Structure formats: C-alpha cells, structure tokens
Amino acid sequence: FRMTAHPLSRLAAFARPYRRNAVLATVYSVLNKFFDVLPELLIGVAVDVVVNQKQSFLAKLGIAEPMDQLLWLTALTILIWVFESLFEYLYALKWRGLAQDLQHELRQAAYAHLQKLPPDYIARERSGKLMALMNEDVNQIERFLNTGANDLIQVFCSSLMVGAVFFVITSDLAVLALLPIPLILFGAFWFQRRLYPRYVAAREAAAVVSNRLNNNLAGMATIQAYTAEDFEREHVRAASDQFRARNAEAIRFSAAITPVIRMAILVGFVATLLYGGYLALAGRIGVGSYSALVYLTQRLLWPLTRLADMTDLYQRAMASVGRVMDLLETRIPERGTRALAVKPQGALRFDAIDFSYGDTPTLSGISLEVAAGQTVALVGGTGSGKSTLLKLLLRFHDPAGGRILLDGEDIAAIDPVALRRRIGYVAQDPFLTDGSVADNIAYGERTPDRARIEAAARAAEAHDFIAALPNGYDSAVGERGANLSGGQRQRIALARALYRDPAILILDEATSAVDNETEAAIQRSLAHVSKGRTTIVIAHRLSTVRHADRIHVIEHGRLLESGTHDDLLAANGTYAALWRLQTGE
C-alpha cells in the first residue's frame, strides 16, 4: 500500500516527528493571509467614510466624527500591518526551519538505508543516480517546503476568506467573481496529472547526466590516456540533450498554465468591475463596498497566476519525494541478531553453497572447510565464483542454498556488523578515505590508538614509507588515495585490516596489481600475521599461494580440486595445468 500511496502522504508519514512544527507553520500561514486580506476591506471602509461621512458604517458603530473615523482606521491599519508582518516572519521561520530539518533527515535516512543494502545494489542502481537522489531530489523537496507549501495554503485560504466576504456583501456578484476559480483549479490539476510523469522522466534523465559525469571524473586519467575526450564529451552531450528534451516536454505544459489562468481571471475581474459597478450605480451596494470588492477580486484572483509556479514546484517535489521514498522502502535483507561475545577461533565451513545473480548460476554445491588458524587459497579463472564466496562470508549476500558456519554456528544467525568486525578485508582495489594515513589505518575508529596504528603499519611493512612522507602518519592520502602509489595503498589497506586484529583475514586478489617488491613485502607480512588467525587468499598468481595450508580450485562455480601445492601438482589436474602455464614448465 505504501508504495502506491500519494507522494505527499508518504512525505507526511516520514515527517510525523515534525507534525507540531508543520501545524504551527500552517496556522501562521493562515493568520498571515487573514491579516493580508483585511487592508482591502479597510479601503472600502475608508471610501465609505469619505463619501458618507456621518452616515458611514463606522458612524453606525458610534464613531460620529469623520476625522475620528479616519484616526480609528489609521490605528487599525497599523495594527493589522504589524500582525501581518509578525505572522509572515513566523511562518517563514517555521516553514524554512521545517524544510531544513526534513532535508537533513531525508538525506541522513537515505544514506543510512543505503548503507544497509548490499554493495551490488549501488552498482546496479548506479552511484550517479543515487548521488542525484541524495542531493538534487532532497534539495527539490526543501525548495517546495521553503515557499511552495505556504503559497498553496494561502491561495486556498484566500479563496475561502474573500469568497465569504463576497457572499456577505452580495451573493449575485460572488457567484460571478468566483466562477473562474473552479475552472482554474480544474485546469491546474489537469496540468498536474500530465506534468508529474514528465518531471519523473526529467529526474531520471538528470540522474543519467550525474552518473556519466561522476564516472568520467573518476576515469579522467584513462580518458586522457586514450585521447577519448571528444568521445566522452559526446556521451555527456547526448545525456544532457536527453535531460534538456525531457525538461522541455515538462516546460511546454507548465508554461501554458499562466496564460490560461490569466484569461480565466479576466472573466472574474470584468464581472466584478461591470456588475459591481452596476449595483453601486443602482444603489444596491455602497460605494465603499464596491471599492472593497474590486480590490478583493484582485487580491483573490491575481495570486492564482502564481499557480503555475506552485504547480511546477509541487510536481517537481512530488517526483523527488517518490524517488527518495522508493529508496527508503527498498527491502533490507534479513539480518541475524546474535552478537559475538568473544573473539571467534575462526573455523569456517561452507556447506553445499548455491548462489545466483539473477538467473545466472554463480556457485553450485560448494563445500569446503577451513580449520581455525589455517591459510587457504582460492584459485580459478575470472568469474569462477571465488569473490562471490567471500561476499557470502561477509554477508553482502545470503546463499540461495546451503549455509556457512563459523565455529559451528550458522552465520545467518549472527549480526552482520558483529561478524564483519571480526573479519579483516583487503580488496584488489582498496578504498581509502580522504583523510590522513592514520585515519585510514584506524578507519571507523572514533578514538584511534596511535601505538596500534604504528604496530599494524609495521606488520604490513608500511611503516618505512609512511615515515618518509612529509607529515608521516598525519600525511593526507588524497581523494581515494591519489597521493599514494598502488603498492602503498595496498599496504595501508593491509595495515587497516590488521589494526582491528581480526579472527579471519581475507585478501581478495590483494597482490594482483602491485609490483614484485610490494608483492614480496605483502608475502613477508602474511607469513607473519597469518599465524594464529584464519586467512583466506584469492590469487591469480599461483606463486603467491604455493605455501598455503590448502588450495581449492574453483571453476564455473564448482569446486574441482583441493589439496596442498605438491598434492595438486602430483594430481596433474586443473591446478597443475595452470601452474605449468604460469611458470612455463
């Protein structure tokens, strides 16, 4: 039901903690409009005083002298303007404060929810699209709450208040003056229904542009190396053209609203001018009443010319609300809840694991065991399923069949956060945050231990090059580690894994993209740090895993062979063939 609810009701449900502020903002908007309408009535009263003097409306209330009547009108005008200004200040304060609060909460909630989803969700949805959602879409909602919500409330209130005055003075004229309003509202809603899908399409196109730019900025070195600047500029131009075309479709509709509304307004204004004048000339209404009605007609109808802007802002905001709420309502995979009270021994068992990406089988019946403290290697061709097996261990996904046991307990029952805190993970292309070397080694630690940072760096054979940096451990690594070489980034990533003293250490092709010296350094580190902890290594270079306690060969999602390096060579199977291919023997 929630997925099909109106975007405004979905936003209201999210903003429930701010309901009091929203109610106060609405009350202030209504009161401001009430005092905003009163000056037009005072104009009519003033005209009545000047024309009728001692027979005026105020004279009947006991203020006989015309000058006294004007003084009372002046005082009342000042009071009304003060209250109008006060409530304008208060509604602006409340609506803008609410806009800022909800902008903050929506962005935080969207990001927090995104962190709970599997990493593959981000790859599938594209990071540029998600960036547009958390920035531009959230900002679009803020813009609507800043001004649009108040405008819609005040147009509604103005119609009710002015309509009531018209009916009190003369019901005949009220019908004529208010006749355009249903037509205007019908036209606005007609346009809205056609604008909404166009703005949704425009937001999708904007996300494509954002994604393209984000992707190109990250790969600028490759673009320049392959002299593909013109090629990529054409891609950006095509995406931007698509965005412009989608926006143009929406603009064609939104631009037509104001001229249509102005023509409808003209009907109401002319009716008041002519028929109201006729009634005044015939003595059926006073001159002051006629003056008030003319001014009130303008006050009622002319704000409706802004209905185009309001509709435009509203529809853009609702399209954005739908996208943000769709993300917030994306189902989070079920999580275990049990904590790990003590450091696990690290014994692992993969029991008949099956897994598929969509309709494509990735793992089929994988069963293997890793004894506590053992170093095992997973080898095989690209796409064989090795990395997927580790993603299942990290609970980025859950197996379609089978189970993974840690010290005899199914990891599905363990809180993924508690599980991951006991695992050190080093990827082929490590992520470094834009901070110092120390920040990256103690990543995620609120109160980092400097001695542990240095000990982890020494264990990863990273201390020497860190000490040689301009500011040592306080040196900035740059965006995604741009100030460091690939080998340096890899050793810092290893130090980061060792800093948390994990029970299980995972290296996912951590040495495949480094030079021989760095690979040798990492191998020396592993020989030392793998003692006493379970270590799983994925490698293409078989020379880096030949000393593993056990090697498992996986191809096309199936476990083909298991054994030590010597056992597998003696078996003369897939592993032996790979070894001969890589060594030239």
Side-chain angles (χ1 to χ4, degrees):
F1 170 75
R2 294 185 66 193
M3 292 296 288
T4 57
H6 190 277
L8 198 57
S9 65
R10 297 168 77 183
L11 181 62
F14 179 86
R16 191 170 287 115
Y18 298 95
R19 182 176 291 172
R20 182 175 179 274
N21 285 347
V23 170
L24 280 175
T26 302
V27 169
Y28 294 148
S29 292
V30 172
L31 288 173
N32 169 258
K33 179 49 62 178
F34 173 74
F35 285 104
D36 183 49
V37 167
L38 288 180
E40 271 65 32
L41 294 176
L42 292 182
I43 290 172
V45 175
V47 171
D48 183 50
V49 168
V50 172
V51 172
N52 296 318
Q53 299 187 17
K54 292 188 177 183
Q55 281 76 45
S56 70
F57 172 74
L58 287 181
K60 295 175 184 177
L61 296 178
I63 308 170
E65 291 299 320
M67 197 61 205
D68 290 340
Q69 295 174 25
L70 289 176
L71 289 174
W72 274 99
L73 276 177
T74 301
L76 194 57
T77 299
I78 293 171
L79 195 63
I80 288 170
W81 278 66
V82 167
F83 275 111
E84 181 191 356
S85 301
L86 172 65
F87 288 118
E88 183 173 2
Y89 167 74
L90 290 175
Y91 84 61
L93 201 65
K94 281 297 178 184
W95 280 121
R96 291 176 186 177
L98 182 64
Q100 293 303 312
D101 288 340
L102 278 183
Q103 173 193 230
H104 173 77
E105 291 297 331
L106 279 169
R107 186 173 286 116
Q108 293 299 308
Y111 180 72
H113 192 84
L114 201 58
Q115 285 190 310
K116 297 175 184 177
L117 295 170
D120 284 353
Y121 175 87
I122 297 173
R124 186 171 66 251
E125 292 295 319
R126 295 176 178 262
S127 58
K129 176 181 175 181
L130 295 171
M131 283 289 291
L133 187 150
M134 289 187 285
N135 280 313
E136 181 55 31
D137 280 324
V138 170
N139 290 341
Q140 190 69 55
I141 297 168
E142 179 216 1
R143 284 192 284 272
F144 169 68
L145 291 173
N146 262 334
T147 57
N150 170 71
D151 288 344
L152 289 172
I153 290 169
Q154 292 203 330
V155 164
F156 176 74
C157 291
S158 177
S159 301
L160 289 181
M161 293 175 186
V162 175
V165 173
F166 266 79
F167 276 100
V168 168
I169 295 175
T170 167
S171 58
D172 292 347
L173 185 56
V175 172
L176 288 174
L178 300 179
L179 186 62
I181 291 181
L183 299 175
I184 292 169
L185 295 178
F186 174 79
F189 286 119
W190 186 87
F191 276 111
Q192 280 181 8
R193 286 195 299 271
R194 283 149 184 81
L195 272 173
Y196 182 77
R198 286 168 171 79
Y199 278 135
V200 170
R203 293 303 316 132
E204 293 291 339
V208 172
V209 174
S210 178
N211 188 71
R212 172 63 65 180
L213 291 172
N214 187 55
N215 185 68
N216 285 9
L217 289 175
M220 191 57 72
T222 301
I223 291 170
Q224 292 178 354
Y226 281 85
T227 62
E229 293 91 341
D230 291 342
F231 179 75
E232 288 299 342
R233 188 161 54 245
E234 179 61 24
H235 275 158
V236 172
R237 186 200 62 76
S240 186
D241 275 350
Q242 184 73 1
F243 175 48
R244 182 172 60 178
R246 297 287 78 78
N247 250 334
E249 289 182 24
I251 289 168
R252 274 196 296 272
F253 268 80
S254 62
I257 300 176
T258 299
V260 172
I261 289 174
R262 288 175 73 91
M263 291 301 101
I265 287 170
L266 179 63
V267 173
F269 191 74
V270 167
T272 304
L273 196 65
L274 288 177
Y275 189 63
Y278 164 75
L279 293 177
L281 290 172
R284 292 168 58 183
I285 61 172
V287 176
S289 297
Y290 174 59
S291 301
L293 291 176
V294 171
Y295 280 109
L296 283 172
T297 303
Q298 185 174 5
R299 178 52 60 98
L300 167 65
L301 298 178
W302 281 114
L304 294 177
T305 59
R306 296 188 58 240
L307 204 58
D309 294 332
M310 295 181 216
T311 303
D312 186 86
L313 192 60
Y314 174 79
Q315 288 301 342
R316 287 180 183 270
M318 291 306 100
S320 293
V321 167
R323 284 158 55 89
V324 174
M325 291 303 158
D326 284 348
L327 170 62
L328 290 176
E329 292 167 2
T330 302
R331 191 181 69 83
I332 298 171
E334 292 183 10
R335 302 160 60 97
T337 57
R338 200 180 80 75
L340 290 173
V342 296
K343 183 177 179 179
Q345 295 179 351
L348 292 170
R349 179 182 170 191
F350 296 84
D351 186 9
I353 299 297
D354 293 326
F355 184 77
S356 299
Y357 287 108
D359 297 328
T360 306
T362 307
L363 298 173
S364 301
I366 296 284
S367 294
L368 58 89
E369 293 194 32
V370 182
Q374 202 175 46
T375 296
V376 303
L378 304 178
V379 301
T382 301
S384 60
K386 308 181 300 298
S387 294
T388 300
L389 202 62
L390 298 187
K391 288 179 181 179
L392 296 177
L393 174 59
L394 286 161
R395 293 293 309 280
F396 292 160
H397 303 290
D398 291 319
R403 57 183 185 156
I404 301 174
L405 305 178
L406 171 61
D407 295 338
E409 181 179 1
D410 191 340
I411 65 170
I414 302 173
D415 179 4
V417 174
L419 174 68
R420 291 165 190 163
R421 283 178 179 154
R422 298 300 186 181
I423 298 175
Y425 176 64
V426 184
Q428 179 180 3
D429 182 21
F431 166 78
L432 296 186
T433 187
D434 190 5
S436 68
V437 171
D439 292 337
N440 277 278
I441 294 176
Y443 184 59
E445 189 82 34
R446 295 187 182 276
T447 54
D449 184 327
R450 197 68 177 217
R452 277 178 59 201
I453 290 173
E454 186 173 328
R458 288 184 183 278
E461 295 205 16
H463 174 75
D464 290 345
F465 87 77
I466 294 173
L469 294 173
N471 296 311
Y473 284 86
D474 295 318
S475 298
V477 302
E479 186 177 0
R480 297 185 65 86
N483 297 342
L484 304 174
S485 70
Q488 290 172 335
R489 288 197 297 270
Q490 202 63 277
R491 278 184 273 183
I492 287 177
L494 178 58
R496 177 170 61 194
L498 298 176
Y499 176 84
R500 59 172 53 190
D501 188 25
I504 301 169
L505 181 62
I506 295 174
L507 287 90
D508 189 354
E509 300 188 36
T511 62
S512 64
V514 299
D515 55 65
N516 291 333
E517 181 183 350
T518 301
E519 182 184 4
I522 291 175
Q523 290 302 319
R524 288 194 302 269
S525 301
L526 285 177
H528 172 66
V529 303
S530 62
K531 292 178 181 177
R533 63 167 52 91
T534 303
T535 305
I536 302 177
V537 182
I538 290 180
H540 279 302
R541 298 181 196 170
L542 301 185
S543 58
T544 64
V545 297
R546 62 180 298 178
H547 299 298
D549 297 314
R550 197 159 187 81
I551 299 170
H552 301 283
V553 181
I554 299 176
E555 285 293 346
H556 305 298
R558 297 183 180 277
L559 181 62
L560 298 185
E561 299 175 320
S562 295
T564 64
H565 172 75
D566 292 335
D567 291 340
L568 292 173
L569 286 183
N572 199 29
T574 302
Y575 181 85
L578 287 171
W579 177 261
R580 288 193 296 269
L581 183 65
Q582 290 188 13
T583 60
E585 293 179 7

